Amino acid sequence: MDMKLSLDNVACGYPGKTILENLSLEVTTGEILCILGPNGVGKTTLFKTLLGFLNLHAGRITLDGENVQGWSRKRLAFTIGYVPQAHIPPFPFSVLDVVLMGRTARIGFLDSPKKHDREIAARALETLGIAHLSRRVYTEISGGEQQMVLIARALTQEPRFLVMDEPTAHLDFGNQVRVLQKVRQLAALGIGIVMTSHVPNHAFLCSSRVILIQRHGIFKTGTAEEIITEENMRETYGVNVRLSAVLNESGTEIKACIPLLVQNPLEDQGLLAAC
Amino acid sequence: MQPTEESLQAPKKLPEENSALVLFVLIALLLALFAASFAWGRYPISLGQLFRVIEAKITGVPSGLPAAMESVVFNIRMPRIFAALLIGSALSVAGSTYQGLFRNPMVSSDILGASSGAGFGAAAAILLSLGLTGIQVSSFICSLAAVVLTLLVGSIVERDGRSSGLSLVLTGMVVSTLFSSFIAISKYVADPEEKLPAITFWLMGGLSSVGARDLRIALIPMAIGFVPILLLRWKLNVLSFGDEEARALGLETSRLRIFLIVCSTLLTAASVSISGMIGWVGLIVPHLARMLVGPNYSILLPVSALLGGLFLLIVDNVARCAFAVEVPIGILTSIIGAPFFVYLLVKGKKGWT
Amino acid sequence: MKPLPFSLRAALRLLLTAGALGLGLPQTAPADPASRTVTDMNGKVVSIPYSVNRVGSTGAVNQMVLMLGTPWKLTVVSPANRDNRWMRRVYPGIAEAAAPFSGSDVNMEELIKSKPDAIFLIDNSGTHSSFKSLPKLQESGIPVIQVHLRTPEEMKQAVRLVGETLGPQERQNAERFCQEYDAILARIRAKIAPLPCGERLKVYRAGGINGLTSEGGNTITTSWIEEAGGINVVAAAGIQALGASITMEDVLQWNPDVIITMGVAAKEAVLARPEWKSVNAVRNGRVYVSPVGVYQWSVRSAETALQNLWAAKVIHPELFPDLDMNAEVRHFYQIYYGCELSEAEANEILNPPK
């Protein structure tokens, strides 16, 4: 059964400082929502609010109409999983141990994971195609692999939604593509996905819905095609882009956003392409 | 994800796959050393006499051996052996817990000021001539007070209510320094012939003053601290990934963190209040345990406890047997701990230290 | 005095260093009449003002200054001295003294502010043997006179040196004390010397919070135990250290007949703990607290003279039936501090409270 995560007229920010106001959006399970926007406009604030790390300043967040305010962390974790950016934890846990932590909300307060939980963790590793990493040390695998492990951990949580913080950051080109592929695959499995990104093309690739956050708390929502326009990109990032389209092997059109660098590099005002 | 060439190599054996063996060896060593420690000491007791003394105690039939011999076995060696085991375990478990809570492998059991607090409590009690029990009670209370102060100041520093751990660690250092200066003041006003040496002696740490009764009393806070940590130990894995991740995974981190801090503090305070300041144990034993069985707290915590007890029992046996003059145990642990720590730093294996 | 030939001077200094002569004679006629010199117990010639009126030290030496007739010359002390009840009793003015000393350190500004003419430091005595601030002190230009207080001989020598530093009157009082000290020892020796080896009791001096801190051979503790007809079990075991941590198992093995504690806390620990129960001294109720007057009698001050007497009576009461310690204390305080103690006060010194 589909589930709907909605933000109604949400205002969010840090204590004493509101950053975004009157924000409404909806994500349904199976859908991908991509949060785009330049550095410092409140992308992180928005999804920290979504995860309940920051208190709402106004409005409400609902799951299938039920206000999540006051839900326990455990109950929230049943529904929403969080995939942070890969980072190095202080201790060299094995990959399986890291993935098993996804079971935290599902096991008793004094319990530790049992055989059943290990099976779920193993399945998550398989879903993401990294079963071979299970016995490796998390701190010793590559950044792309770590990102996959963190996704596996969130899957082990068995959530309906995944909130991903720049899942492709710091990854090489190949790994970026592989991670996006998995994101689409997860959506196809019926998981709702909210992710931040710096790359407009990723929104096209995931055929997702987009919320574009611009300076001064202005935002636009819609499909990738509606939002990622040459004009919007210029307004948001201050760079010129050209949209283009290519056909994939099955004949579907895939759009791409190509940055236009100033022809004479000496005239460049120091604006770097965002694509 | 495409398996890279590297990731396809047969993974080397994970340390935690050795846990059964490590546990077995540790328990065996511990039992052997426990038994042997009864036979070691400066008062000559042969194995035969030792068995007769123990037999007499069990059966109630007088052994015919000097009363001093029974006193050596049951009033001197036994409390000390148990004290070494318990305090070693308690400090190591507290150290492991703090390292996970603060996501920092460099913190130890006294990071929140428990040791300095205990030191000041003892110094004050010595100045007031409160006697041994008074010293223990006072150092226990001041130890807890120091940590409470750290938590209070820490909560002011982190006003948004979420603890990043780092500011708590820094506050702990500040409070430690504060109590260290209180200790310095106590030493400043202490009479240099009687009180000052007593304070210095206490600060260096030692188990020679621990009697069976003190141990029975200290066992209460130790158990109150130890049992919850043992039950919640798997959650420490999750906490070591940081506050936001742990919350997203479904933990109410603030409450859990405070609860675990209270438990670890009880362990530390109960230990240092009867043993004086014994440094390094709460820092190096968790590392040693991690090298043996990896970072998973499910196995790391019990191994830390066993290893800590074993370590302190060995060190205390040296302290009480090796020389005509008893060597303060805190000095021995420093002599062993400091080079080991340098070794860890030099080895610098990513993530393991 | 005519300048002595150099070789003679050197020989004299050698003698002084060895502690063979108990006093530092003036070395040369002062070139500057405003100053004179004394030779300290490290053999160092120290130039001091001709008239010395402001002195001080870290501990036991202050007791010596107080007992030489001019207590008001004591102007620099440690906080523990200033708060010491008996020091205040014999010389109330000590409350006004500066207290820059603490442990092995000194607050230099506070010290310089108090303008001392000379400072005494206890070297090799254990607690202050490594005086942290010695280099700083020597740089300051304040005369530093070092004393040793390891044996009764050194103790007497130190009293003479303090007397000599303070002035002629004090020097005379110091001499008188030394004679009286010798007389006390002679009184005891007359009774103790005939004692056969087998009747010398094993004595353990218990200190610290658990009674397991003691002093070994070549210390003033061993000296008074032996003068009083006992054997210091710690020294007999070959331990030399001051402030040594003893193991309980050793104590049980030595099984002392008499335990003399430093401080009430140590006595309470000894009596309360089950492991002490089988020790002879505890079984026979022979655990005593060392008296505490202006200074701890059992360590390094001149009041050790009284400790010899007290210990002799405690260890061998049968040999000293007529010795009235209370009267001895009052006599000593009257002569040296000019202080009339009541019987109750003397009793308090003999049975120190917590």
Side-chain angles (χ1 to χ4, degrees), chain C residues 241-272:
Chain C
L242 281 152
S245 289
I246 304 302
T247 66
M248 189 61 217
E249 297 198 13
D250 277 336
V251 176
L252 285 177
Q253 218 180 322
W254 300 329
N255 199 15
D257 305 304
V258 176
I259 293 175
I260 294 175
T261 74
M262 186 158 146
V264 183
K267 178 177 177 180
E268 283 177 350
V270 166
L271 293 184

Side-chain angles (χ1 to χ4, degrees), chain B residues 168-185:
Chain B
L168 207 53
V169 170
L170 292 175
T171 312
M173 286 176 166
V174 172
V175 170
S176 285
T177 314
L178 185 70
F179 276 86
S180 297
S181 20
F182 292 164
I183 295 175
I185 293 170

